[in-house]
Amino acid sequence: MLRYLTAGESHGPKLTGIVEGLPSGLTLSKLEIDRALQDRQKGPGRGGRMKIEQDEVVITAGVRGEVTTGAPVALEVRNRDWANWESVMTSGKDVDWESKKVIAPRPGHADLTGTLKYRMEIRNVLERASARETAIRVAVGNLSRQLLTDLGVEIRGRVISVGAVDLQWKNTAQEWERVFQSEWKVGDVEGEQRLNEQLSEARRLGESLGGILEIQVLNLPAGLGSYVQWDRKLDGRLAHAILSVQAMKGVSFGLGFETAKRFGSEVHDPIVYHSGEGYKRNQNNAGGIEGGMTNGEPVIVQVAMKPIPTLYHPLQTVNLETKAEVQASIERSDICAVPAALTVLEHVIAWEIAQAVLEKFPSDTMYELKRAWQEYLEYLKAQ
């Protein structure tokens, strides 16, 4: 079983992840993990925190000579900003409780509900609820992404829209190349200029921006996931993982919500057969998943991200001590983190796909996994 836990606060000394279930013999590149962490920090609209942090991973267990041993892998991402918060966030008894105290919960954040649930002050809630936690999830997810890359699986993503700006898209190789070069992760050059203008307006108004993102997983065989129990369906597991990421509010696959507006004959993907290749679909409205299982076509997921709840023109809230009407507190934050969220989602999805792979194939070692993977691909082509 592939599983992980994370720990750490936004302004604590570090974020920690422990991963269990990786096969032995997987060659890991620390550089690739660091690149992913740095990609998570980029994009227009990021806040001042990203000028402080220069994220890189520290691998403290489970890897020797850049190769996994089969034992649990332990990872750390250290918070440089800890130096400015040590007196506030120390685990010792001499805590400065007052200097960073928050008493005005932000609408749209975990502040108030978390305070009511755990009966403690907002600072303790927001430190763990913060999207800073996604840094360690990217590091963890990159382990599984490197495993998938070894099997020939490719994961890529793009931004579909930000705020009120929809981007043009024809799904060409040239557009994808532009996505990989764009700080907005878009293939529409003219649309990128409109995004910059919208960002400037949001900053002027003290607002924040959300968007819609798409992630694609290529070169997966049919048969990952299962229909036999509700919690083994791959699309359900992907949706669960995606919605666990801060600010994500909706998930769809393939044609998504458009399927509700069409006749069945306009939605479902006809099956064809090619000798030497096996069964195929001649379109991909299903987004690569049928009956909770991959069907051999690319897995295509769209995700809706809400605007970040910290506003520099804050909304009405209530002072938790006096119960008076006040403006919500302002924590240092981003105006827009949509391109950065794409990196997070790619790695969260990589984890779920890798988990499905390791459930289907023998995986104590990479040797066993690769051999079983190749035999299964040959079986599918022969059908």
Side-chain angles (χ1 to χ4, degrees):
M1 178 185 294
L2 189 60
R3 59 180 180 171
Y4 75 95
L5 288 173
T6 72
E9 285 75 42
S10 180
H11 296 99
K14 67 181 73 170
L15 300 165
T16 302
I18 298 179
V19 177
E20 184 180 18
L22 284 174
S24 69
L26 171 63
T27 299
L28 288 178
S29 167
K30 177 185 179 302
L31 180 61
E32 286 301 312
I33 303 174
D34 289 344
R35 284 175 177 165
L37 288 171
Q38 290 155 18
D39 198 38
R40 191 198 75 91
Q41 295 186 271
K42 295 177 182 177
R46 299 309 305 272
R49 179 73 184 273
M50 293 303 101
K51 297 177 182 178
I52 297 173
E53 303 297 346
Q54 296 178 15
D55 289 342
E56 61 178 313
V57 72
V58 179
I59 303 174
T60 62
V63 178
R64 186 181 183 203
E66 298 188 329
V67 178
T68 56
T69 65
V73 176
L75 308 173
E76 294 180 354
V77 177
R78 292 169 183 165
N79 292 326
R80 290 173 179 251
D81 207 14
W82 161 251
N84 303 315
W85 286 75
E86 186 170 359
S87 64
V88 177
M89 293 301 300
T90 178
S91 59
K93 64 179 181 179
D94 297 325
V95 179
D96 179 356
W97 295 101
E98 295 300 322
S99 65
K100 299 290 185 179
K101 189 175 183 179
V102 180
I103 56 175
R106 292 162 292 176
H109 207 283
D111 293 353
L112 178 57
T113 307
T115 293
L116 296 174
K117 176 178 175 63
Y118 290 106
R119 299 190 182 191
M120 59 185 181
E121 65 169 283
I122 292 174
R123 170 62 55 196
N124 288 343
V125 175
L126 66 86
E127 285 291 332
R128 181 59 182 169
S130 167
R132 176 66 183 156
E133 181 259 353
T134 61
I136 194 63
R137 277 209 267 180
V138 167
V140 166
N142 195 262
L143 303 181
S144 58
R145 188 170 189 168
Q146 291 191 46
L147 182 150
L148 293 172
T149 299
D150 265 11
L151 298 177
V153 177
E154 179 186 353
I155 300 174
R156 63 186 184 183
R158 67 184 181 96
V159 172
I160 294 176
S161 65
V162 177
V165 177
D166 294 319
L167 288 312
Q168 299 296 313
W169 185 253
K170 297 180 181 178
N171 200 33
T172 65
Q174 184 179 15
E175 284 175 312
W176 276 111
E177 188 60 34
R178 172 64 183 166
V179 167
F180 301 143
Q181 297 173 1
S182 165
E183 61 177 358
W184 279 103
K185 308 284 183 72
V186 300
D188 179 357
V189 177
E190 293 182 2
E192 190 161 350
Q193 178 59 38
R194 298 201 307 275
L195 292 178
N196 288 328
E197 293 169 357
Q198 180 182 233
L199 178 64
S200 296
E201 179 68 1
R203 182 175 283 112
R204 184 184 70 82
L205 295 173
E207 285 285 357
S208 60
L209 293 164
I212 300 176
L213 311 96
E214 179 176 279
I215 301 89
Q216 300 184 0
V217 188
L218 312 179
N219 306 323
L220 291 175
L224 301 179
S226 180
Y227 60 87
V228 301
Q229 291 288 356
W230 66 271
D231 59 346
R232 294 183 63 191
K233 295 186 177 184
L234 185 58
D235 45 357
R237 288 163 59 170
L238 285 169
H240 178 191
I242 289 165
L243 292 176
S244 76
V245 176
Q246 292 84 340
M248 304 307 145
K249 298 298 287 185
V251 182
S252 67
F253 295 86
L255 197 58
F257 286 95
E258 182 65 25
T259 61
K261 304 176 184 178
R262 301 188 184 187
F263 289 124
S265 61
E266 299 174 301
V267 170
H268 302 300
D269 305 320
I271 300 170
V272 297
Y273 177 79
H274 298 295
S275 179
E277 296 183 26
Y279 300 104
K280 303 287 183 182
R281 274 69 174 170
N282 61 10
Q283 60 189 25
N284 192 20
N285 289 338
I289 298 180
E290 293 173 309
M293 301 167 292
T294 55
N295 65 10
E297 300 299 322
V299 170
I300 300 177
V301 188
Q302 299 87 27
V303 185
M305 178 184 184
K306 72 178 182 180
I308 291 166
T310 295
L311 302 176
Y312 290 96
H313 183 67
L315 295 173
Q316 172 189 323
T317 189
V318 174
N319 182 307
L320 296 189
E321 295 181 347
T322 68
K323 306 301 186 287
E325 180 182 313
V326 295
Q327 289 187 328
S329 62
I330 299 175
E331 291 284 312
R332 179 178 54 199
S333 187
D334 304 326
I335 303 299
C336 178
V338 174
L342 189 63
T343 299
V344 177
L345 292 172
E346 287 176 359
H347 286 85
V348 165
I349 287 171
W351 177 269
E352 293 300 321
I353 297 293
Q355 190 173 55
V357 168
L358 298 188
E359 287 173 356
K360 180 166 179 58
F361 300 103
S363 55
D364 283 339
T365 70
M366 283 301 294
Y367 172 79
E368 292 172 295
L369 174 58
K370 287 182 176 181
R371 185 174 65 176
W373 176 270
Q374 190 58 43
E375 288 176 352
Y376 186 68
L377 293 182
E378 291 171 0
Y379 153 76
L380 293 175
K381 289 179 181 179
Q383 292 304 299

